[in-house]
Amino acid sequence: MEETKLIDDLTIKRTKRHFRPAHYLLKIQSYSLLCDTGVEKYDSGVFEASGHKWRLSIYPKGNEKMNGSGHISIYLAIVDTEKYTLGWEIYVSFKLFLFDQIRDKFLTIQDVDGVIRRFHDIKTEWGFHKFLSLKSFEDLSQGYLVNDCCIFGAELFVHVRNAKREFLTMIKEPLNRSMTWKIENFSSLDKVTYYSQIFQVGDVKWKLLVFPKGIYNGEMKVISLFLLCCDCVLPEHNFFAEFKIRIKDQINNENHVEKIEKHWFTTSSNEWGFLHFMPLKDLLDASKGLLVNDALIVEGEIIVMSYVK
């Protein structure tokens, strides 16, 4: 059985299920005598769920102030809130129940679409003004009231607001975005790879990386240049950079050799750049002014980068 009705401008969903409520059951015997006392509202005992204390508030003949006449009204209320800090608020999704004793099923009522209710110092209870009509409740064939006995229940889930937050910002032309690396005695370099000092742009650390004879150590007769992100140390660390790497023209200061690339740097791909940056023969051509006094000036520039906090 399942139906959805619009009640008091709130859409609620009714279903039936076999398994019992997870957190609380309230059995009322001699229900008619409870009603005869004239009590407007019955507050159940306190029960604990999801680290907080709660109770059910039941209006046997309906909450007249909320237009609940002719129905049973039932609410979930949070209690023992005096210990909470000023401005407290707790977000809860919940279901309330009434046991069908003939079919061994629980009538389950909840806000449709899983609405999450906010409990706070001004609003300490939520529920249903028209939980069930008295006509249906008192109809013995429905199984809700058997031998003047009925059973209510509650089940709730507190949504703890401890989710990790991440703010991603894309920064164009960040401050201190330029990196200058002078490589001395270039012709005498005998290792495959050389790293620059660390350059910090914003909160991210970078290095320039050079293969003087190319990544294949002379086989391709090129120079290889890369940008390395030093902060990609955990799987969740990733940084975007659009960057430029150039070899500076030291004579005319105008015919620099430069290339632009973009990449998401991660732990598994923390360096990116140019395998064939330029042929070694062009680099060694004195007329181009790229190698002066056996020194090479490599410059890096971050054009756009991501920043996460």
Side-chain angles (χ1 to χ4, degrees):
M1 166 186 158
E2 181 169 325
E3 60 176 326
T4 301
K5 290 186 177 181
L6 187 66
I7 297 178
D8 295 337
D9 297 325
L10 292 176
T11 303
I12 68 173
K13 181 179 180 181
R14 286 186 171 89
T15 59
K16 281 196 173 182
R17 76 184 205 190
H18 283 289
F19 51 98
R20 65 177 55 204
H23 296 119
Y24 187 63
L25 285 173
L26 168 64
K27 184 175 182 179
I28 301 177
Q29 291 184 311
S30 302
Y31 188 82
S32 60
L33 292 180
L34 173 66
C35 295
D36 289 344
T37 65
V39 64
E40 178 187 10
K41 178 182 71 165
Y42 174 73
D43 289 328
S44 77
V46 174
F47 65 94
E48 189 165 341
S50 298
H52 301 277
K53 293 182 178 180
W54 313 85
R55 66 160 41 106
L56 292 182
S57 293
I58 300 173
Y59 293 73
K61 295 183 178 180
N63 185 352
E64 294 183 3
K65 296 177 182 178
M66 301 305 295
N67 197 28
S69 297
H71 294 75
I72 292 176
S73 302
I74 182 170
Y75 305 90
L76 176 69
I78 189 167
V79 298
D80 196 23
T81 60
E82 297 80 7
K83 62 183 180 181
Y84 295 166
T85 57
L86 185 66
W88 67 269
E89 51 185 26
I90 297 170
Y91 291 82
V92 181
S93 53
F94 63 91
K95 300 175 182 178
L96 301 180
F97 301 83
L98 180 59
F99 187 45
D100 177 352
Q101 301 172 59
I102 295 176
R103 297 162 189 84
D104 189 26
K105 288 184 178 181
F106 284 90
L107 173 66
T108 307
I109 297 184
Q110 65 189 105
D111 292 302
V112 77
D113 296 329
V115 173
I116 298 173
R117 298 299 183 184
R118 183 170 71 99
F119 290 74
H120 52 90
D121 53 356
I122 299 175
K123 180 70 172 176
T124 58
E125 71 173 27
W126 287 94
F128 306 104
H129 313 313
K130 297 181 178 180
F131 178 82
L132 184 68
S133 71
L134 290 175
K135 181 179 179 181
S136 295
F137 177 69
E138 293 169 356
D139 182 350
L140 298 182
S141 67
Q142 297 291 328
Y144 302 127
L145 188 63
V146 176
N147 296 325
D148 208 20
C149 170
C150 57
I151 302 171
F152 295 93
E155 183 175 282
L156 61 98
F157 177 78
V158 172
H159 299 262
V160 181
R161 304 196 324 180
N162 60 358
K164 178 183 178 181
R165 298 186 181 187
E166 180 175 302
F167 297 91
L168 171 65
T169 304
M170 305 301 291
I171 304 171
K172 186 175 183 179
E173 298 180 350
L175 296 175
N176 304 315
R177 63 183 178 274
S178 297
M179 299 167 264
T180 301
W181 180 23
K182 187 173 184 179
I183 304 174
E184 306 274 7
N185 305 312
F186 182 79
S187 61
S188 301
L189 299 180
D190 55 1
K191 293 194 296 186
V192 175
T193 313
Y194 289 85
Y195 295 88
S196 73
Q197 66 186 55
I198 292 176
F199 301 93
Q200 183 159 332
V201 182
D203 287 338
V204 184
K205 297 181 178 65
W206 307 89
K207 285 183 179 181
L208 294 170
L209 169 61
V210 64
F211 293 78
K213 297 179 181 179
I215 199 168
Y216 298 111
N217 198 24
E219 187 176 329
M220 306 296 293
K221 296 182 171 31
V222 296
I223 183 173
S224 303
L225 290 171
F226 296 85
L227 179 67
L228 168 69
C229 181
C230 305
D231 288 334
C232 295
V233 294
L234 295 175
E236 62 268 26
H237 292 168
N238 59 88
F239 303 92
F240 172 83
E242 181 179 352
F243 60 94
K244 181 187 297 182
I245 296 180
R246 72 172 64 89
I247 295 179
K248 191 173 182 180
D249 173 3
Q250 302 179 59
I251 296 177
N252 303 306
N253 201 34
E254 58 183 23
N255 295 319
H256 312 306
V257 179
E258 64 181 32
K259 293 185 178 183
I260 297 177
E261 187 57 278
K262 58 181 67 173
H263 183 61
W264 280 97
F265 292 82
T266 65
T267 52
S268 60
S269 183
N270 66 343
E271 59 184 51
W272 199 257
F274 309 98
L275 184 66
H276 303 102
F277 186 83
M278 68 177 299
L280 281 173
K281 64 180 181 61
D282 293 339
L283 178 67
L284 299 174
D285 186 343
S287 67
K288 297 185 182 295
L290 303 175
L291 192 64
V292 176
N293 297 325
D294 205 24
L296 192 69
I297 298 179
V298 177
E299 294 181 334
E301 180 183 347
I302 304 292
I303 303 168
V304 177
M305 64 176 285
S306 66
Y307 173 67
V308 177
K309 78 171 186 177

